Amino acid sequence: MPHPPSRTRRRLVAAGIAFIATHGQAAPPRMVLAREFRAGDHPAGHLVSEKYDGVRAQWDGQALRFRGGGLVAAPAAFTARLPAVPLDGELWLGRGRFDALSGLVRQARPDDAGWQALRYMVFELPGGAGSFEQRAAEIDRLARAVAWPQLVAVPHERIAEPAALMRRLAEVTRAGGEGLMLHRADAPYVTGRTDVLLKLKPEQDAEAQVIGHRPGQGRHAGRLGALQVRTPEGIVFEIGTGLTDAQRDAPPPVGAWVTYRHRGFTARGVPRFASFLRVRVLP
């Protein structure tokens, strides 16, 4: 295909610069990241909340950004209601509605009507002082002061015993929830992957990069049979379940990152019973 004339190229470059200036791509915000709850971990000393299957977003007092640093194109009416202090949480439409949520929040032009059903589930104050228990109380105070149903302070509870924690997990997942989060009540604000924040789910999830496509057989002859993927640690394996017919006809391309679920690891570090969940979208 021939290159466009130089004047056209200049206009395209200018348009790209204007797009970036308007949409505010920035360095990824520093966030607290959870590790998996493991055998031997104990709920005592933690504040426990539901794990919301939403889209992580951090508010810096002026702009709302995805985990990757891209600007969330939220309606002005939405951001105008947020307090002028940094917040961290999940944009959420409700249990089992991640796909609809992802499509909504990643539109270049916000769907004002769609955003009216969305809630910002806030669970942290970036850079906030004091213990997590104190910051959670301040989030609750902020939400009460704003008095707006779309800004929600994530509710927490104390659970003293592992058996009670498992009962609570079963209640949440039976109702369609994804799992639980456990945050050390006495923890100062920290960022990065940390032991002060734990996630507990019936199944674990992780990410891997697509490095190849395996052809299908039988019913899947002529289309994708399995994705060959590689984890950030260099473990190569295949994901052949969890894919829809449409995804087998048009599979995630080589180089894409995908999220999958699994049930622990083999002795070689390979995820057990890996099942495709979704293509990772990280602006």
Side-chain angles (χ1 to χ4, degrees):
M1 179 177 178
H3 292 291
S6 58
R7 183 178 300 174
T8 302
R9 289 203 302 273
R10 287 197 297 271
R11 286 201 299 267
L12 291 172
V13 170
I17 293 171
F19 180 88
I20 292 172
T22 301
H23 289 73
Q25 183 69 33
R30 295 177 62 81
M31 294 179 170
V32 59
L33 303 173
R35 73 159 172 82
E36 297 285 349
F37 187 93
R38 298 190 290 252
D41 287 330
H42 201 284
H46 293 80
L47 295 182
V48 181
S49 65
E50 180 173 342
K51 184 182 187 302
Y52 298 98
D53 189 16
V55 172
R56 185 82 174 267
Q58 191 172 102
W59 171 250
D60 64 9
Q62 295 182 321
L64 192 62
R65 296 191 180 277
F66 292 111
R67 180 175 164 183
L71 188 68
V72 181
F78 184 92
T79 55
R81 300 293 297 268
L82 298 177
V85 297
L87 304 172
D88 192 2
E90 297 276 337
L91 300 173
W92 195 58
L93 274 179
R95 291 167 173 166
R97 300 197 62 196
F98 178 85
D99 288 342
L101 169 73
S102 183
L104 176 66
V105 302
R106 299 183 194 282
Q107 294 180 19
R109 291 186 177 182
D111 176 351
D112 291 5
W115 272 78
Q116 290 177 14
L118 180 149
R119 282 167 281 175
Y120 189 26
M121 310 297 293
V122 179
F123 51 71
E124 187 56 284
L125 291 176
S131 67
F132 176 68
E133 187 169 26
Q134 291 170 324
R135 296 195 303 279
E138 176 62 12
I139 293 168
D140 186 66
R141 186 196 69 77
L142 284 169
R144 290 176 183 273
V146 173
W148 177 43
Q150 290 184 253
L151 180 67
V152 181
V154 169
H156 297 85
E157 61 184 310
R158 286 186 178 270
I159 298 179
E161 297 297 332
L165 182 69
M166 293 301 108
R167 288 195 296 271
R168 180 61 180 141
L169 175 65
E171 290 173 2
V172 168
T173 54
R174 277 199 305 268
E178 190 179 32
L180 299 175
M181 301 296 294
L182 295 85
H183 202 135
R184 280 285 301 271
D186 61 355
Y189 180 74
V190 296
T191 59
R193 192 76 60 187
T194 172
D195 287 346
V196 307
L197 182 63
L198 309 176
K199 57 183 176 181
L200 173 61
K201 300 191 297 181
E203 294 180 301
Q204 302 173 33
D205 62 33
E207 295 174 344
Q209 189 173 31
V210 178
I211 60 173
H213 298 141
R214 298 301 188 206
Q217 298 179 358
R219 190 174 77 84
H220 298 310
R223 56 183 178 176
L224 180 74
L227 296 170
Q228 186 181 36
V229 300
R230 180 171 54 229
T231 71
E233 296 76 26
I235 302 296
V236 175
F237 63 102
E238 293 183 1
I239 302 175
T241 62
L243 295 148
T244 65
D245 287 347
Q247 288 163 340
R248 292 183 187 278
D249 290 334
V254 170
W257 284 81
V258 300
T259 301
Y260 63 94
R261 284 184 172 158
H262 65 102
R263 299 179 184 175
F265 301 90
T266 69
R268 295 193 303 109
V270 177
R272 294 180 183 272
F273 307 109
S275 177
F276 178 85
L277 184 58
R278 65 175 73 96
V279 176
R280 187 185 74 172
V281 181
L282 195 61

